[in-house]
């Protein structure tokens, strides 16, 4: 039973990678032709020749492919809506029942308004995996057979790359391995839009047109650094007290330590978390006032909170203390400075109700008092600063519905003063709870939201709120209770105009999932850099995955 589940999980997940590659290649290959009408692709249900436990793959093909490619992302390949495809197929009941579309595929494509039709089969026999597909040009009637074979499920990764290349080349006539050029747009506070063009091998940030030049240092701002890991969060901290901050990338199990230089984050160490560890967040905080920050790594070990302190001692980065039975977060409170806040967590029920301020004593940490928040607001849902510019701190939250709320203090209680009509945030940093598993219900999850930042990048004296906004993928998008994939994301600057939060600017749209954002002057030239951590593919990968940190200067002029 366990082996069957493992095989099912592997095949399902690797199929997701296959279909992501289809979508990514198709998107990238056509992005240079923004002026042309999109090519419409109808994806028919794939036939599964395998044991009954793999029957779920029949619908997974269309669902996953539809979630990766769409005209809404500026892509020039548009997936025909599933209901239109189903309606077209209904006219051919024999083909629908047998999932054999060869003789009627062109008619189905025309009825669905498609330029191309993709259909095929996945076979799993004796551990050998075969992919057999047909790409049909509806207008000309030409078919392109596509097939590949692997000795085991793991071979699907290589099969993915080869088949994706062939599909992209056939539909667009463009070699997807070429050095492509992309154009993105960002809004400004005066309501206008500006375009930014950049180039890079295989796409992605990295060109001079997208990044700005520092007039003080002469160094070209704009670097990117790839990590072959699924990254959850990032932080900057000075653990050795030399006045220069290091960069820290948090993966599901480890902490990657980097030196921040002219070329970005250069890896210098990796601190492993050990077995049964699931990391959640990181915060830099100087708890004893010695000028050296500690890195607080909130994590689960098994079913219980087991957070650690990472320090640099004896020239090495290591965990000096573990076993803290709560998650922790450093919060900078205007007028009060940074404080360390804790909240208990167990996989059996999620967060505890009470939060506490923490103080570090000679014998460990001690609760220094309750930290009261409105009901339903947990450790990773809030920041505390003066956002409205009225001289009083606001409680700024992003709760389960992904809407920003601004609270004001009324006596001893927080009261909601404003709620955003739009949704922001979006996270893949999710912990599945044990609740409901024994009854066979869908497991409940707790979403760990990333930080919101208060800054003044344009120097006008008015506070800005920096948030990410990930666009949900999948068939149901934001309507899904648990979004498992994001198709793109942007970083946005918002300011309070006395009535609402108004958007000042936004970054270009990034294909994938934005995990975290930092703003800091990493080289001491007085100019802040915006650093964005995003995950290729927009979903939790089967293997290590790949994440990228990009940095650039924002200029309000």
């Amino acid at each position: 039973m366990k082996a069957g589940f493992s095989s099912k999980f592997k095949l399902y997940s690797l199929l997701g990678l296959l279909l992501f590659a289809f979508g990514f290649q198709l998107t990238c290959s056509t992005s240079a032709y923004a002026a042309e009408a999109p090519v419409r692709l109808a994806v028919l249900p794939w036939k599964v020749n395998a044991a009954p436990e793999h029957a779920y793959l029949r619908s997974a093909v269309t669902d996953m492919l539809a979630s990766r490619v769409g005209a809404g992302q500026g892509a020039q390949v548009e997936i025909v809506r599933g209901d239109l495809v189903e309606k077209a197929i209904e006219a051919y009941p024999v083909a629908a029942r047998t999932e054999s579309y060869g003789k009627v595929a062109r008619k189905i494509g025309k009825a669905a308004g498609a330029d191309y039709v993709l259909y095929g089969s996945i076979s799993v026999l004796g551990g050998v995996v075969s992919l057999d597909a047909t790409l049909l040009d509806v207008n000309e009637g030409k078919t392109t057979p596509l097939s590949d074979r692997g000795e085991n499920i793991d071979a699907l990764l290589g099969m993915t790359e080869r088949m994706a290349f062939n599909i992209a080349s056939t539909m667009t006539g463009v070699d997807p391995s070429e050095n492509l050029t992309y154009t993105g747009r960002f809004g400004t506070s005066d309501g206008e839009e500006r375009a930014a063009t950049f180039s890079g091998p295989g796409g992605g940030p990295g060109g001079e047109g997208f990044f700005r030049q520092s007039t003080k240092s002469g160094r070209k701002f704009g670097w990117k650094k790839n990590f072959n890991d699924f990254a959850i969060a990032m932080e900057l901290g000075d653990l050795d007290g030399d006045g220069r901050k290091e960069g820290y990338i948090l993966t599901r199990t480890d902490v990657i330590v980097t030196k921040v230089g002219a070329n970005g984050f250069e890896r210098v160490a990796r601190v492993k978390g050990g077995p049964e560890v699931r990391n959640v967040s990181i915060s830099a905080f100087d708890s004893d006032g010695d000028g050296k920050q500690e890195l607080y790594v909130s994590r689960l070990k098994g079913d219980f909170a087991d957070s650690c302190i990472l320090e640099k001692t004896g020239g090495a980065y290591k965990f000096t203390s573990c076993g803290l039975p709560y998650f922790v977060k450093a919060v900078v409170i205007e007028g009060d400075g940074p404080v360390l806040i804790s909240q208990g967590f167990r996989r059996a029920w999620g967060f505890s109700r009470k939060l506490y301020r923490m103080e570090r004593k000679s014998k460990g940490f001690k609760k220094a008092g309750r930290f009261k928040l409105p009901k339903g607001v947990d450790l990773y849902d809030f920041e505390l600063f003066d956002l409205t510019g009225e001289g009083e701190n606001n409680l700024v939250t992003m709760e389960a519905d992904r809407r920003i709320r601004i609270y004001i203090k009324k006596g001893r209680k927080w009261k909601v003063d404003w709620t955003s009509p739009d949704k922001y945030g979006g996270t893949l940093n999710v912990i599945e709870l044990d609740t409901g598993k024994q009854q066979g219900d869908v497991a409940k999850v707790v979403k760990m939201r990333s930080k919101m930042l208060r800054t003044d990048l344009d120097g006008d004296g008015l506070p800005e709120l920096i948030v990410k906004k990930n666009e949900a993928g999948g068939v149901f998008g934001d309507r899904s209770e648990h979004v498992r994939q994001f198709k793109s994301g942007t970083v946005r600057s918002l300011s309070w105009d006395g009535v609402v939060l108004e958007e000042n600017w936004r970054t270009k749209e990034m294909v994938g999932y934005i995990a975290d954002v930092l703003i800091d002057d990493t080289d001491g030239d007085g100019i802040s850099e915006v650093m964005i951590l995003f995950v290729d593919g927009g979903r939790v990968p089967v293997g290590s995955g790949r994440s990228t940190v990009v940095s650039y200067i924002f200029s309000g002029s």
Side-chain angles (χ1 to χ4, degrees), residues 7-9 11-12 48 52-61:
S7 175
K8 176 178 177 180
F9 177 76
L11 189 55
Y12 191 96
V48 179
E53 61 262 28
H54 298 309
Y56 64 94
L57 293 175
R58 178 181 179 276
S59 61
V61 171

Side-chain angles (χ1 to χ4, degrees), residues 208-329:
E208 295 185 10
F210 183 74
F211 299 115
R212 308 304 175 86
Q213 192 79 16
S214 167
T215 57
K216 292 187 178 182
S217 67
R219 176 170 74 83
K220 183 180 74 172
F221 275 84
W223 47 260
K224 69 173 182 177
K225 189 67 176 180
N226 297 326
F227 296 89
N228 291 323
D229 285 282
F230 171 60
I232 295 173
M234 64 178 174
E235 179 67 294
L236 294 171
D238 181 12
L239 270 63
D240 54 14
D242 65 353
R244 294 184 61 86
K245 295 180 179 180
E246 304 86 39
Y248 300 90
I249 306 294
L250 188 71
T251 73
R252 285 173 287 191
T253 57
D254 304 337
V255 179
I256 301 173
V257 184
T258 72
K259 177 182 178 182
V260 186
N263 296 320
F265 285 8
E266 300 293 340
R267 174 176 162 174
V268 297
R270 186 184 191 102
V271 184
K272 295 186 176 182
E276 297 188 326
V277 165
R278 165 60 164 89
N279 289 333
V280 172
S281 71
I282 49 175
S283 281
F285 184 74
D286 181 7
S287 63
D288 53 13
D290 66 352
K292 298 179 182 180
Q293 292 180 312
E294 308 92 45
L295 196 70
Y296 290 82
V297 181
S298 295
R299 63 182 201 169
L300 281 175
K301 190 171 184 179
D303 294 335
F304 302 91
D306 183 82
S307 299
C308 293
I309 302 173
L310 179 68
E311 298 182 87
K312 188 176 183 181
T313 61
Y317 294 91
K318 61 181 68 175
F319 290 123
T320 57
S321 178
C322 286
L324 302 178
Y326 38 73
F327 292 162
V328 290
K329 169 185 170 182

